[in-house]
Amino acid sequence: MYLRQLTEEVEAVSKLYAAKHGIERDDTWFLLKLQEEIGELTQAFLMRSGQARSKGRSADELETQFRAELADVLCQLLVMARHHGVDLETEVERKWLVWNPDRSSVPSRPEASAGGTGLRAAPSDVEGT
């Protein structure tokens, strides 16, 4: 996957930003910064969907803002995971990709009782996410 390389590049930008603004990137900062970015994504989503005022922005500007906020959330998540020593590629493989039906080695896991349909449970149903 590409996440490890992307994480290192994003880390360099985050570290430079923190140094420039005198920010100590500790455990609390990483969590609160991620929360801040999720809040900005929420605001952009609401504006884009017409559930908040657009503040005079055009539909194209709202779309651009929404996309930018998605990128901010991803990047902040990457640097937070790096800070805590979490290899997201490994965790995504373990938690999500193991369920990919195109893989030949999808594990046998308990199935959801979804009204007796025999449908396999979603990862969140089985893993408690």
Side-chain angles (χ1 to χ4, degrees), residues 10 27 29 37 40 42 80 83 92:
V10 169
D27 290 353
W29 180 85
E37 297 301 346
E40 291 173 4
T42 301
M80 182 177 179
H83 174 76
V92 167

Side-chain angles (χ1 to χ4, degrees), residues 12-124:
V13 172
S14 177
K15 194 173 187 178
L16 179 65
Y17 174 87
K20 181 177 179 179
H21 297 285
I23 296 169
E24 179 185 346
R25 298 181 320 149
D26 61 7
D27 290 353
T28 302
W29 180 85
F30 281 100
L31 180 62
L32 293 178
K33 188 66 177 172
L34 177 59
Q35 184 63 45
E36 175 189 6
E37 297 301 346
I38 291 171
E40 291 173 4
L41 173 61
T42 301
Q43 180 182 37
F45 172 81
L46 290 171
M47 291 169 71
R48 177 178 172 253
S49 66
Q51 297 176 337
R53 57 191 178 90
S54 65
K55 299 180 182 179
R57 295 186 182 116
S58 69
D60 286 344
E61 289 171 323
L62 293 174
E63 181 65 24
T64 298
Q65 181 182 0
F66 175 70
R67 291 169 182 257
E69 295 304 338
L70 281 169
D72 284 350
V73 169
L74 174 63
C75 291
Q76 196 57 46
L77 180 64
L78 292 173
V79 296
M80 182 177 179
R82 183 186 183 283
H83 174 76
H84 288 284
V86 176
D87 180 343
L88 284 176
E89 287 188 19
T90 299
E91 294 307 315
V92 167
E93 176 72 32
R94 181 189 66 77
K95 182 75 178 185
W96 284 85
L97 299 184
V98 68
W99 294 96
N100 185 334
D102 294 334
R103 292 182 175 214
S104 61
S105 62
V106 175
S108 277
R109 299 242 177 134
E111 295 190 9
S113 61
T117 63
L119 296 175
R120 185 166 65 191
S124 60

